[in-house]
């Protein structure tokens, strides 16, 4: 995976990851190619995880109209 992969959107990375998983699940991929696909899949998985973490950090705060930020807290349900 090159710097090109770093420019992938989350959705593009997920599509590529799903294609890799599908190929590996078919079981008819030569060993060397399987290893390469596995490594590509791990890199794509890490990219997706990083992108999700970044979004999670952004979602942790609410920005008010005046630019002030405060932590976003989800209120639990009362039982």
């Amino acid at each position: 995976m090159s710097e090109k992969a770093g420019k992938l959107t989350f959705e593009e990375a997920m599509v590529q990851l799903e294609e890799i998983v599908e190929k590996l699940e078919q079981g008819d991929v030569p060993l060397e190619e399987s290893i390469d696909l596995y490594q590509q899949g791990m890199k794509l998985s890490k990219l997706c995880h990083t992108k999700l973490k970044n979004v999670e950090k952004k979602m942790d705060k609410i920005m008010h109209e005046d630019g002030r930020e405060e932590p976003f807290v989800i209120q639990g349900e009362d039982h």
Side-chain angles (χ1 to χ4, degrees), residues 3 8 18 21-22 31 45 49 56 58 61 64 76-77:
E3 66 183 57
L8 292 174
E18 289 171 356
V21 169
E22 188 174 315
L31 179 61
S45 175
H49 178 77
E56 186 178 289
K58 289 179 183 176
K61 293 186 179 182
H64 295 276
E77 292 184 46

Side-chain angles (χ1 to χ4, degrees), residues 47-74:
L47 177 69
C48 289
H49 178 77
T50 300
K51 288 183 179 284
L52 284 175
K53 281 293 188 189
N54 289 339
V55 169
E56 186 178 289
K57 285 180 187 173
K58 289 179 183 176
M59 297 298 292
D60 284 345
K61 293 186 179 182
I62 297 173
M63 182 175 286
H64 295 276
E65 290 180 11
D66 62 1
R68 182 176 44 95
E69 292 182 351
E70 69 180 61
F72 178 72
V73 179
I74 297 175

Side-chain angles (χ1 to χ4, degrees), residues 5-38:
K7 296 178 181 175
L8 292 174
T9 65
F10 175 81
E11 291 79 10
E12 291 168 336
M14 280 300 295
V15 167
Q16 288 186 15
L17 184 56
E18 289 171 356
E19 290 171 357
I20 287 172
V21 169
E22 188 174 315
K23 284 181 185 175
L24 291 173
E25 286 180 342
Q26 291 174 356
D28 58 352
V29 180
L31 179 61
E32 292 80 10
E33 188 178 343
S34 294
I35 292 169
D36 288 342
L37 287 171
Y38 178 79

